[in-house]
Amino acid sequence: MKWIGRIALTLAIISLAALAALPYLEPAREKWDRFKEAWVMVNTPTPSAVETTETVPEQPEAANARRERSILLPDTNIDAYSSEEDEDPFLAEARRRAKEDPASAMTWLQTEASGKDRLRGMLEIVALWAAKDTESALLWLESNASGLARLETLNSGIELWSQQDPTAAAKWIEGMANDGSKLNATKTLVANWAIQNPEEASSWVGQLPAGSLRSETAASLIESWSTIDPKAATIWAFSEAESNGDMALFNQSIQYYAEAEPVEAEQLLRAVTEAHEAPGSVDAYIRTLTQNDPTEAINWQTALSPDDPLNRTENLETIFQEWSNMDSVAASAWLSEAPIGPQRDAAIIGFTEAMTAFDPEAAVAWSNSISAPEKRVKTLTNTVQAWAATQPEQALEWLDTAELEPGLRSALVESMQRR
């Protein structure tokens, strides 16, 4: 009898569970139907676009949803790619000939096109030719191409080669004639090489003979290297400066370093200026600070201790040259509130140097407010002479009405006449 009771109890539990699940049966059935539909869609071959348009009418919302969720796979056969609607017949023919015989394709191009069309075609052929045999492509260009086409196509080939094998490209460039083509090629090479292996690139630049080729190539190297490691680029630039005595490259690198890491650049610059006088480098650093935020540049200068090697009165000249070029109104507002003294005088000198070409009357008025007598006379003379070179009548009229000592007025008029 016990088993009968157990069966009855089990049936009762099942009945209660069925009653409890009853509200959920309809949603469950709908989910099951959707699952079956999805399963059929996944396992049904996708019809072509034409078949879908003709046989399967679809609401716009559904079509957009399906398109948005579609994953496009890349074409593994690049050579077979073509776009019938957008294909340029001329370039298509150039590519076809380049695949068969790139040298013959170049010869064909010289007779079939000129100007921009020829350059476009040559770049297409070079891209295909250099991918297979860069050296042969460049040799052909060096011997046969001329003018703008020569420069552009050589650069294109060198750029491809420098990405694949910069060392081989460097050896090939060393054999080029020393002209503008070689300079452009070396700059293109190191710009790419510095991203891949800056140590190798800088070592190669370091063995180039002294001259414009090396200096301009080094500048291209620093510009590219600084995008990935401005500190290393700056240190290498300083080693170059120590070896050849030219600080221009180091000044350039400091600007890039200050843009990326101003605090670190300041520390390195301070260490350099403690051992060497480098006014140009300090100017380069300050110009970068000012271009980013003139007020912060002034605050930086004000916070320097008197014995800091970076602390120079001339710093404010540099700050106000840059600030006046960007916002002369704000710069003049700062000057009008600054206390009289050497700092303000230096700022005025920078302001007038920048403003003489734009507003000479304002420039001479500010020059006349410099407190140090010798600096006032020198700056005022330079500003008046620059004004008189373009607007002599206006400059003379200002001299007649300005509050000036008689001797200074006469000296300024005389300086105008000498020019």
Side-chain angles (χ1 to χ4, degrees):
M1 295 297 292
K2 289 183 180 181
W3 63 271
I4 295 176
R6 291 175 180 171
I7 292 175
L9 181 60
T10 301
L11 291 174
I13 293 173
I14 293 174
S15 299
L16 290 173
L19 290 173
L22 187 60
Y24 303 99
L25 290 179
E26 185 60 23
R29 185 185 62 78
E30 292 177 358
K31 289 182 180 180
W32 171 251
D33 291 340
R34 287 198 297 269
F35 173 76
K36 289 193 296 181
E37 291 175 5
W39 179 261
V40 171
M41 291 176 62
V42 169
N43 289 276
T44 300
T46 303
S48 66
V50 175
E51 293 172 346
T52 301
T53 302
E54 295 178 351
T55 62
V56 185
E58 188 172 56
Q59 296 299 322
E61 294 81 5
N64 290 336
R66 181 174 297 176
R67 188 179 301 112
E68 291 172 358
R69 295 179 61 82
S70 299
I71 298 176
L72 300 178
L73 299 178
D75 186 357
T76 56
N77 186 1
I78 297 176
D79 288 341
Y81 172 78
S82 66
S83 174
E84 295 180 358
E85 295 181 357
D86 301 329
E87 187 73 47
D88 185 323
F90 171 71
L91 295 182
E93 179 65 14
R95 283 194 292 267
R96 185 189 69 77
R97 290 174 178 268
K99 293 172 186 176
E100 295 177 355
D101 187 342
S104 297
M106 284 293 194
T107 303
W108 166 83
L109 195 62
Q110 309 310 305
T111 61
E112 295 295 324
S114 61
K116 293 182 178 179
D117 285 339
R118 180 182 295 176
L119 177 58
R120 289 167 58 226
M122 290 179 71
L123 289 172
E124 288 287 335
I125 295 172
V126 167
L128 293 170
W129 195 356
K132 296 179 180 178
D133 187 353
T134 308
E135 186 169 4
S136 296
L138 294 177
L139 284 171
W140 188 95
L141 292 171
E142 194 175 27
S143 302
N144 297 279
S146 63
L148 178 62
R150 184 175 189 274
L151 290 175
E152 292 291 338
T153 51
L154 274 172
N155 280 348
S156 179
I158 288 293
E159 185 168 8
L160 289 169
W161 204 1
S162 64
Q163 294 168 359
Q164 300 166 1
D165 190 349
T167 304
K171 291 180 179 178
W172 190 86
I173 288 174
E174 289 171 0
M176 293 180 67
N178 287 317
D179 58 14
S181 297
K182 184 172 185 176
L183 174 60
N184 288 338
T186 57
K187 292 167 67 175
T188 299
L189 168 65
V190 298
N192 287 283
W193 201 355
I195 300 298
Q196 303 172 49
N197 194 325
E199 290 76 17
E200 285 186 1
S202 58
S203 177
W204 183 75
V205 173
Q207 56 83 38
L208 292 175
S212 60
L213 176 67
R214 174 167 172 169
S215 60
E216 292 194 43
T217 303
S220 181
L221 169 73
I222 289 297
E223 182 178 3
S224 185
W225 194 355
S226 295
T227 62
I228 58 173
D229 192 346
K231 181 178 181 179
T234 304
I235 292 173
W236 183 84
F238 181 66
S239 69
E240 280 285 286
E242 285 191 309
S243 65
N244 59 29
D246 185 1
M247 294 292 287
L249 189 65
F250 180 68
N251 298 347
Q252 176 191 1
S253 66
I254 277 292
Q255 288 182 297
Y256 296 135
Y257 198 8
E259 184 70 35
E261 298 289 346
V263 176
E264 290 185 9
E266 177 186 346
Q267 294 171 349
L268 189 147
L269 181 60
R270 182 173 286 107
V272 169
T273 53
E274 286 176 346
H276 305 271
E277 288 189 6
S281 304
V282 179
D283 282 343
Y285 177 79
I286 292 172
R287 288 186 190 282
T288 304
L289 294 186
T290 308
Q291 289 164 4
N292 290 333
D293 190 333
T295 304
E296 285 298 319
I298 292 176
N299 292 339
W300 173 84
Q301 169 62 28
T302 304
L304 293 177
S305 63
D307 58 345
D308 193 312
L310 298 181
N311 193 353
R312 309 174 309 155
T313 303
E314 295 85 351
N315 290 353
L316 280 169
E317 290 185 27
T318 303
I319 292 173
F320 272 82
Q321 285 174 2
E322 289 297 320
W323 194 5
S324 301
N325 280 321
M326 296 186 295
D327 188 351
S328 59
V329 175
S332 61
W334 187 95
L335 289 174
S336 65
E337 297 180 0
I340 295 175
Q343 300 290 323
R344 180 177 180 271
D345 287 350
I348 291 174
I349 293 172
F351 179 84
T352 58
E353 288 177 357
M355 291 303 298
T356 299
F358 303 102
D359 191 344
E361 187 171 358
V364 294
W366 276 108
S367 298
N368 196 34
S369 69
I370 293 175
S371 60
E374 291 184 2
K375 289 185 177 180
R376 171 174 169 253
V377 172
K378 180 180 179 180
T379 305
L380 187 57
T381 301
N382 291 339
T383 309
V384 168
Q385 287 180 344
W387 190 9
T390 57
Q391 298 176 331
E393 294 181 1
Q394 291 88 334
L396 188 59
E397 182 181 351
W398 182 87
L399 287 174
D400 288 340
T401 58
E403 295 183 4
L404 297 170
E405 304 90 320
L408 176 58
R409 190 191 314 275
S410 300
L412 291 172
V413 172
E414 184 180 348
S415 70
M416 288 175 55
Q417 294 172 347
R418 287 199 303 267
R419 292 179 64 86

